[in-house]
Amino acid sequence: MVSKKSEKALEPKPQAPHDSANLPRRPGRPAGAAKGTERRTLLLDTALALFARWGIADTPLTMIAREAGVTPAMLHYYFNTREQLLDVLIEERFLPIRASFRNLFNDQADDPVAALTALAKHFIDISVAHDWFAPLWIREIISESGMLKQRMEARYGDSQRNESLRSLLRWQQEGKLNADLDPELIFISLFGLTFLPIAAAKRRHHAHVSPFNSEQLAKHVVALLLHGISPLPEQQTGQ
């Protein structure tokens, strides 16, 4: 027979009031949701890097899944199609950057030189902050056949671009901007002066060449915008 003392010892002990099982769960997302958010961010980052390297049309979802280290089924859980993935990238990554350009011309409404200089510096800053921006812009925005350009214009139109062109035309009519300049080509020229050197420099950097100097490029671009290639009067010698 088991003694009463032994029976008492075998009885389960009541849990202490401070036991974690009795405490309410702390507010916030559960651990699974946090991991899901991180995985989604990883997929977006991976897609941007591959789109910038190969172009959107040549980057299937299976390549993105493999690069991110997830299964195709996992990627399809977040994005059913490449078009859906592209729409999310436009909404969450491109539109905030695009919005940051919006007021540059309005802030310098009476000074086109200051406005264009600010725009060039802004292009440089964004391209340095985001490795994917310059090469992806060259592939997908400058090109008329780029999927990103077509999808952005289809969803959001080109009102911001047209507004900028109107500012350039107004400045020309007011005699504040060189009348021989083609407003459409001004933006192409800025893209070439900023995005192309940055994209090339980043490729060289990955090949163990000295890192890109954004300040040096900004100085170079502004000098070209303001003075072209002719030397300034104080720089001329022997005349």
Side-chain angles (χ1 to χ4, degrees), residues 52 93-94 97 100-101 118-138 142 190-203 205-206 212-215 217-218 221:
R93 301 298 177 89
F94 265 89
I97 292 177
S100 68
F101 300 156
L119 183 60
K121 288 182 176 179
H122 200 58
F123 284 160
I124 294 170
D125 291 340
I126 291 172
S127 298
V128 171
H130 304 284
D131 286 346
W132 50 267
F133 188 81
L136 188 57
W137 192 282
I138 292 170
I142 295 179
L190 285 179
F191 298 156
L193 288 171
T194 55
F195 295 150
L196 285 174
I198 290 173
K202 288 183 179 296
R203 285 196 297 270
H205 180 47
H206 291 313
F212 170 74
N213 188 327
S214 59
E215 291 298 325
L217 178 58
V221 171

Side-chain angles (χ1 to χ4, degrees), residues 35-177:
K35 290 180 180 178
T37 301
E38 292 173 2
R39 188 178 292 114
R40 182 178 183 274
T41 300
L42 171 63
L43 291 171
L44 292 177
D45 291 342
T46 303
L48 282 171
L50 291 176
F51 287 164
R53 189 185 311 165
W54 304 110
I56 295 173
D58 293 326
T59 305
L61 291 181
T62 52
M63 181 189 295
I64 297 171
R66 183 169 62 251
E67 185 76 9
V70 303
T71 64
M74 176 61 71
L75 189 146
H76 280 285
Y77 173 79
Y78 293 95
F79 311 105
N80 289 326
T81 64
R82 184 173 54 187
E83 287 70 25
Q84 182 188 16
L85 170 60
L86 187 55
D87 286 342
V88 172
L89 288 173
I90 290 173
E91 188 73 29
E92 298 184 11
R93 301 298 177 89
F94 265 89
L95 287 187
I97 292 177
R98 188 186 185 194
S100 68
F101 300 156
R102 184 175 299 278
N103 294 323
L104 289 179
F105 280 13
N106 292 334
D107 292 343
Q108 305 287 348
D110 297 322
D111 191 343
V113 173
L116 290 170
T117 300
L119 183 60
K121 288 182 176 179
H122 200 58
F123 284 160
I124 294 170
D125 291 340
I126 291 172
S127 298
V128 171
H130 304 284
D131 286 346
W132 50 267
F133 188 81
L136 188 57
W137 192 282
I138 292 170
R139 283 182 176 275
E140 298 291 336
I141 299 296
I142 295 179
S143 171
E144 289 297 324
S145 60
M147 289 181 62
L148 180 61
K149 176 183 175 68
Q150 294 174 356
R151 202 152 188 91
M152 286 186 69
E153 289 185 350
R155 292 192 62 185
Y156 302 101
D158 54 1
S159 59
Q160 186 172 341
R161 172 177 168 275
N162 291 336
E163 182 180 348
S164 300
L165 289 174
R166 285 193 294 270
S167 294
L168 295 174
L169 288 169
R170 175 174 58 81
W171 286 326
Q172 287 180 316
Q173 294 168 357
E174 294 172 350
K176 296 177 180 178
L177 191 65

